[in-house]
PDB file of all heavy atoms in Angstrom:
ATOM      1  N   THR A   1       0.835  -1.185  -0.040  1.00 93.00           N
ATOM      2  CA  THR A   1       0.076   0.031   0.012  1.00 93.00           C
ATOM      3  C   THR A   1       0.882   1.200  -0.035  1.00 93.00           C
ATOM      4  O   THR A   1       0.590   2.212  -0.767  1.00 93.00           O
ATOM      5  CB  THR A   1      -0.903  -0.038   1.259  1.00 93.00           C
ATOM      6  OG1 THR A   1      -1.714  -1.195   1.147  1.00 93.00           O
ATOM      7  CG2 THR A   1      -1.753   1.203   1.285  1.00 93.00           C
ATOM      8  N   ASP A   2       1.901   1.335   0.828  1.00 93.00           N
ATOM      9  CA  ASP A   2       2.844   2.407   0.860  1.00 93.00           C
ATOM     10  C   ASP A   2       3.524   2.628  -0.428  1.00 93.00           C
ATOM     11  O   ASP A   2       3.589   3.750  -0.933  1.00 93.00           O
ATOM     12  CB  ASP A   2       3.895   2.203   1.949  1.00 93.00           C
ATOM     13  CG  ASP A   2       3.333   2.303   3.377  1.00 93.00           C
ATOM     14  OD1 ASP A   2       2.195   2.587   3.574  1.00 93.00           O
ATOM     15  OD2 ASP A   2       4.026   1.759   4.363  1.00 93.00           O
ATOM     16  N   ALA A   3       3.979   1.586  -1.029  1.00 95.00           N
ATOM     17  CA  ALA A   3       4.699   1.678  -2.370  1.00 95.00           C
ATOM     18  C   ALA A   3       3.635   2.236  -3.408  1.00 95.00           C
ATOM     19  O   ALA A   3       4.053   3.103  -4.297  1.00 95.00           O
ATOM     20  CB  ALA A   3       5.226   0.313  -2.900  1.00 95.00           C
ATOM     21  N   ALA A   4       2.407   1.829  -3.431  1.00 93.00           N
ATOM     22  CA  ALA A   4       1.430   2.243  -4.441  1.00 93.00           C
ATOM     23  C   ALA A   4       1.160   3.818  -4.088  1.00 93.00           C
ATOM     24  O   ALA A   4       0.960   4.576  -5.059  1.00 93.00           O
ATOM     25  CB  ALA A   4       0.186   1.481  -4.320  1.00 93.00           C
ATOM     26  N   ARG A   5       1.043   4.155  -2.869  1.00 94.00           N
ATOM     27  CA  ARG A   5       0.718   5.667  -2.589  1.00 94.00           C
ATOM     28  C   ARG A   5       1.882   6.397  -3.061  1.00 94.00           C
ATOM     29  O   ARG A   5       1.810   7.599  -3.454  1.00 94.00           O
ATOM     30  CB  ARG A   5       0.596   5.690  -1.000  1.00 94.00           C
ATOM     31  CG  ARG A   5      -0.810   5.182  -0.641  1.00 94.00           C
ATOM     32  CD  ARG A   5      -1.020   5.443   0.824  1.00 94.00           C
ATOM     33  NE  ARG A   5      -2.320   5.163   1.283  1.00 94.00           N
ATOM     34  CZ  ARG A   5      -2.833   5.277   2.509  1.00 94.00           C
ATOM     35  NH1 ARG A   5      -2.040   5.759   3.402  1.00 94.00           N
ATOM     36  NH2 ARG A   5      -4.101   5.049   2.819  1.00 94.00           N
ATOM     37  N   TRP A   6       3.157   5.919  -2.781  1.00 95.00           N
ATOM     38  CA  TRP A   6       4.400   6.642  -3.149  1.00 95.00           C
ATOM     39  C   TRP A   6       4.390   6.936  -4.618  1.00 95.00           C
ATOM     40  O   TRP A   6       4.705   8.020  -5.197  1.00 95.00           O
ATOM     41  CB  TRP A   6       5.575   6.036  -2.586  1.00 95.00           C
ATOM     42  CG  TRP A   6       6.839   6.730  -2.966  1.00 95.00           C
ATOM     43  CD1 TRP A   6       7.732   6.361  -3.879  1.00 95.00           C
ATOM     44  CD2 TRP A   6       7.284   7.989  -2.601  1.00 95.00           C
ATOM     45  NE1 TRP A   6       8.800   7.199  -4.026  1.00 95.00           N
ATOM     46  CE2 TRP A   6       8.480   8.335  -3.312  1.00 95.00           C
ATOM     47  CE3 TRP A   6       6.664   9.073  -1.774  1.00 95.00           C
ATOM     48  CZ2 TRP A   6       9.245   9.483  -3.115  1.00 95.00           C
ATOM     49  CZ3 TRP A   6       7.518  10.238  -1.503  1.00 95.00           C
ATOM     50  CH2 TRP A   6       8.649  10.402  -2.202  1.00 95.00           C
ATOM     51  N   GLU A   7       4.047   5.825  -5.452  1.00 95.00           N
ATOM     52  CA  GLU A   7       4.219   5.896  -6.772  1.00 95.00           C
ATOM     53  C   GLU A   7       3.007   6.924  -7.343  1.00 95.00           C
ATOM     54  O   GLU A   7       3.279   7.707  -8.220  1.00 95.00           O
ATOM     55  CB  GLU A   7       3.847   4.543  -7.422  1.00 95.00           C
ATOM     56  CG  GLU A   7       4.043   4.455  -8.868  1.00 95.00           C
ATOM     57  CD  GLU A   7       5.384   4.896  -9.399  1.00 95.00           C
ATOM     58  OE1 GLU A   7       6.353   4.693  -8.734  1.00 95.00           O
ATOM     59  OE2 GLU A   7       5.553   5.489 -10.587  1.00 95.00           O
ATOM     60  N   ALA A   8       1.858   6.788  -6.714  1.00 93.00           N
ATOM     61  CA  ALA A   8       0.732   7.841  -7.149  1.00 93.00           C
ATOM     62  C   ALA A   8       1.233   9.276  -6.809  1.00 93.00           C
ATOM     63  O   ALA A   8       1.010  10.113  -7.573  1.00 93.00           O
ATOM     64  CB  ALA A   8      -0.547   7.476  -6.382  1.00 93.00           C
ATOM     65  N   TYR A   9       1.866   9.499  -5.771  1.00 93.00           N
ATOM     66  CA  TYR A   9       2.372  10.758  -5.400  1.00 93.00           C
ATOM     67  C   TYR A   9       3.419  11.292  -6.396  1.00 93.00           C
ATOM     68  O   TYR A   9       3.398  12.369  -6.974  1.00 93.00           O
ATOM     69  CB  TYR A   9       2.905  10.867  -4.017  1.00 93.00           C
ATOM     70  CG  TYR A   9       3.548  12.123  -3.579  1.00 93.00           C
ATOM     71  CD1 TYR A   9       2.711  13.069  -3.070  1.00 93.00           C
ATOM     72  CD2 TYR A   9       4.927  12.395  -3.719  1.00 93.00           C
ATOM     73  CE1 TYR A   9       3.252  14.363  -2.707  1.00 93.00           C
ATOM     74  CE2 TYR A   9       5.454  13.607  -3.382  1.00 93.00           C
ATOM     75  CZ  TYR A   9       4.583  14.643  -2.904  1.00 93.00           C
ATOM     76  OH  TYR A   9       5.120  15.795  -2.555  1.00 93.00           O
ATOM     77  N   ARG A  10       4.344  10.477  -6.721  1.00 93.00           N
ATOM     78  CA  ARG A  10       5.331  10.729  -7.681  1.00 93.00           C
ATOM     79  C   ARG A  10       4.735  11.081  -9.053  1.00 93.00           C
ATOM     80  O   ARG A  10       5.290  11.914  -9.780  1.00 93.00           O
ATOM     81  CB  ARG A  10       6.440   9.597  -7.720  1.00 93.00           C
ATOM     82  CG  ARG A  10       7.282   9.394  -6.537  1.00 93.00           C
ATOM     83  CD  ARG A  10       8.055  10.659  -6.105  1.00 93.00           C
ATOM     84  NE  ARG A  10       9.156  10.631  -7.184  1.00 93.00           N
ATOM     85  CZ  ARG A  10       9.845  11.749  -7.414  1.00 93.00           C
ATOM     86  NH1 ARG A  10       9.594  12.832  -6.754  1.00 93.00           N
ATOM     87  NH2 ARG A  10      10.810  11.827  -8.309  1.00 93.00           N
ATOM     88  N   LEU A  11       3.764  10.338  -9.479  1.00 93.00           N
ATOM     89  CA  LEU A  11       3.116  10.585 -10.743  1.00 93.00           C
ATOM     90  C   LEU A  11       2.411  11.851 -10.788  1.00 93.00           C
ATOM     91  O   LEU A  11       2.502  12.662 -11.723  1.00 93.00           O
ATOM     92  CB  LEU A  11       2.073   9.467 -11.138  1.00 93.00           C
ATOM     93  CG  LEU A  11       2.670   8.076 -11.482  1.00 93.00           C
ATOM     94  CD1 LEU A  11       1.605   7.064 -11.701  1.00 93.00           C
ATOM     95  CD2 LEU A  11       3.410   8.281 -12.820  1.00 93.00           C
ATOM     96  N   ALA A  12       1.692  12.221  -9.646  1.00 91.00           N
ATOM     97  CA  ALA A  12       1.066  13.448  -9.493  1.00 91.00           C
ATOM     98  C   ALA A  12       2.118  14.635  -9.640  1.00 91.00           C
ATOM     99  O   ALA A  12       1.912  15.669 -10.172  1.00 91.00           O
ATOM    100  CB  ALA A  12       0.251  13.562  -8.278  1.00 91.00           C
ATOM    101  N   GLU A  13       3.297  14.510  -8.946  1.00 90.00           N
ATOM    102  CA  GLU A  13       4.307  15.415  -8.938  1.00 90.00           C
ATOM    103  C   GLU A  13       4.924  15.658 -10.333  1.00 90.00           C
ATOM    104  O   GLU A  13       5.355  16.771 -10.654  1.00 90.00           O
ATOM    105  CB  GLU A  13       5.383  14.979  -7.943  1.00 90.00           C
ATOM    106  CG  GLU A  13       6.348  15.999  -7.584  1.00 90.00           C
ATOM    107  CD  GLU A  13       7.390  15.433  -6.527  1.00 90.00           C
ATOM    108  OE1 GLU A  13       7.890  14.413  -6.662  1.00 90.00           O
ATOM    109  OE2 GLU A  13       7.657  16.070  -5.587  1.00 90.00           O
ATOM    110  N   ARG A  14       4.975  14.615 -11.100  1.00 91.00           N
ATOM    111  CA  ARG A  14       5.579  14.652 -12.494  1.00 91.00           C
ATOM    112  C   ARG A  14       4.522  14.945 -13.544  1.00 91.00           C
ATOM    113  O   ARG A  14       4.909  15.031 -14.759  1.00 91.00           O
ATOM    114  CB  ARG A  14       6.409  13.415 -12.760  1.00 91.00           C
ATOM    115  CG  ARG A  14       7.614  13.164 -11.876  1.00 91.00           C
ATOM    116  CD  ARG A  14       8.450  12.007 -12.346  1.00 91.00           C
ATOM    117  NE  ARG A  14       7.664  10.839 -12.548  1.00 91.00           N
ATOM    118  CZ  ARG A  14       7.754   9.740 -11.777  1.00 91.00           C
ATOM    119  NH1 ARG A  14       8.524   9.717 -10.753  1.00 91.00           N
ATOM    120  NH2 ARG A  14       6.923   8.601 -12.009  1.00 91.00           N
ATOM    121  N   ALA A  15       3.275  15.071 -13.316  1.00 91.00           N
ATOM    122  CA  ALA A  15       2.327  15.417 -14.198  1.00 91.00           C
ATOM    123  C   ALA A  15       2.556  16.651 -15.055  1.00 91.00           C
ATOM    124  O   ALA A  15       3.089  17.724 -14.357  1.00 91.00           O
ATOM    125  CB  ALA A  15       0.874  15.459 -13.508  1.00 91.00           C
ATOM    126  N   PRO A  16       2.345  16.724 -16.195  1.00 91.00           N
ATOM    127  CA  PRO A  16       2.669  17.908 -16.991  1.00 91.00           C
ATOM    128  C   PRO A  16       1.944  19.262 -16.475  1.00 91.00           C
ATOM    129  O   PRO A  16       2.564  20.282 -16.413  1.00 91.00           O
ATOM    130  CB  PRO A  16       2.079  17.737 -18.495  1.00 91.00           C
ATOM    131  CG  PRO A  16       2.013  16.104 -18.491  1.00 91.00           C
ATOM    132  CD  PRO A  16       1.735  15.692 -17.103  1.00 91.00           C
ATOM    133  N   ALA A  17       0.798  19.121 -16.036  1.00 88.00           N
ATOM    134  CA  ALA A  17       0.123  20.356 -15.381  1.00 88.00           C
ATOM    135  C   ALA A  17       0.783  20.698 -14.168  1.00 88.00           C
ATOM    136  O   ALA A  17       0.898  21.923 -13.847  1.00 88.00           O
ATOM    137  CB  ALA A  17      -1.298  19.996 -14.993  1.00 88.00           C
ATOM    138  N   CYS A  18       1.375  19.875 -13.376  1.00 88.00           N
ATOM    139  CA  CYS A  18       2.024  20.267 -12.213  1.00 88.00           C
ATOM    140  C   CYS A  18       3.485  20.814 -12.459  1.00 88.00           C
ATOM    141  O   CYS A  18       3.930  21.768 -11.947  1.00 88.00           O
ATOM    142  CB  CYS A  18       2.189  19.103 -11.194  1.00 88.00           C
ATOM    143  SG  CYS A  18       2.796  19.478  -9.652  1.00 88.00           S
ATOM    144  N   VAL A  19       4.219  20.180 -13.322  1.00 87.00           N
ATOM    145  CA  VAL A  19       5.513  20.655 -13.728  1.00 87.00           C
ATOM    146  C   VAL A  19       5.437  21.904 -14.441  1.00 87.00           C
ATOM    147  O   VAL A  19       6.235  22.867 -14.216  1.00 87.00           O
ATOM    148  CB  VAL A  19       6.255  19.519 -14.594  1.00 87.00           C
ATOM    149  CG1 VAL A  19       7.553  20.109 -15.152  1.00 87.00           C
ATOM    150  CG2 VAL A  19       6.475  18.252 -13.814  1.00 87.00           C
ATOM    151  N   GLY A  20       4.512  22.197 -15.386  1.00 88.00           N
ATOM    152  CA  GLY A  20       4.438  23.319 -16.050  1.00 88.00           C
ATOM    153  C   GLY A  20       3.470  24.530 -15.389  1.00 88.00           C
ATOM    154  O   GLY A  20       3.440  25.447 -16.048  1.00 88.00           O
ATOM    155  N   ALA A  21       3.295  24.356 -14.221  1.00 87.00           N
ATOM    156  CA  ALA A  21       2.495  25.459 -13.487  1.00 87.00           C
ATOM    157  C   ALA A  21       3.367  26.702 -13.414  1.00 87.00           C
ATOM    158  O   ALA A  21       4.595  26.705 -13.187  1.00 87.00           O
ATOM    159  CB  ALA A  21       2.204  24.978 -12.126  1.00 87.00           C
ATOM    160  N   VAL A  22       2.769  27.894 -13.708  1.00 87.00           N
ATOM    161  CA  VAL A  22       3.519  29.046 -13.771  1.00 87.00           C
ATOM    162  C   VAL A  22       3.762  29.618 -12.398  1.00 87.00           C
ATOM    163  O   VAL A  22       4.919  30.052 -12.132  1.00 87.00           O
ATOM    164  CB  VAL A  22       2.642  30.103 -14.561  1.00 87.00           C
ATOM    165  CG1 VAL A  22       3.329  31.535 -14.521  1.00 87.00           C
ATOM    166  CG2 VAL A  22       2.352  29.604 -15.958  1.00 87.00           C
ATOM    167  N   THR A  23       2.815  29.424 -11.582  1.00 88.00           N
ATOM    168  CA  THR A  23       3.037  29.960 -10.103  1.00 88.00           C
ATOM    169  C   THR A  23       3.064  28.720  -9.201  1.00 88.00           C
ATOM    170  O   THR A  23       2.417  27.756  -9.454  1.00 88.00           O
ATOM    171  CB  THR A  23       1.925  30.791  -9.764  1.00 88.00           C
ATOM    172  OG1 THR A  23       0.684  30.142  -9.817  1.00 88.00           O
ATOM    173  CG2 THR A  23       1.880  32.087 -10.526  1.00 88.00           C
ATOM    174  N   PRO A  24       3.912  28.819  -8.216  1.00 88.00           N
ATOM    175  CA  PRO A  24       3.947  27.693  -7.265  1.00 88.00           C
ATOM    176  C   PRO A  24       2.633  27.423  -6.422  1.00 88.00           C
ATOM    177  O   PRO A  24       1.840  28.466  -6.199  1.00 88.00           O
ATOM    178  CB  PRO A  24       4.868  28.133  -6.199  1.00 88.00           C
ATOM    179  CG  PRO A  24       5.775  29.222  -6.849  1.00 88.00           C
ATOM    180  CD  PRO A  24       4.900  29.800  -7.927  1.00 88.00           C
ATOM    181  N   ALA A  25       2.215  26.249  -6.321  1.00 88.00           N
ATOM    182  CA  ALA A  25       1.015  25.936  -5.711  1.00 88.00           C
ATOM    183  C   ALA A  25       1.124  24.545  -4.978  1.00 88.00           C
ATOM    184  O   ALA A  25       1.869  23.744  -5.331  1.00 88.00           O
ATOM    185  CB  ALA A  25      -0.196  25.869  -6.788  1.00 88.00           C
ATOM    186  N   ALA A  26       0.256  24.465  -4.097  1.00 91.00           N
ATOM    187  CA  ALA A  26       0.132  23.076  -3.323  1.00 91.00           C
ATOM    188  C   ALA A  26      -1.181  22.521  -3.622  1.00 91.00           C
ATOM    189  O   ALA A  26      -2.321  23.076  -3.404  1.00 91.00           O
ATOM    190  CB  ALA A  26       0.240  23.387  -1.788  1.00 91.00           C
TER     191      ALA A  26
END
């Protein structure tokens, strides 16, 4: 479960919308 959650977090972090965001956001 922990590994799956970590992978989902990393995918969200590397998503094009997240990487290409103009202003920092959480």
Side-chain angles (χ1 to χ4, degrees):
T1 299
D2 293 343
R5 286 179 172 185
W6 177 248
E7 186 61 30
Y9 177 84
R10 295 294 292 159
L11 286 173
E13 190 177 50
R14 292 189 310 252
C18 188
V19 172
V22 178
T23 58

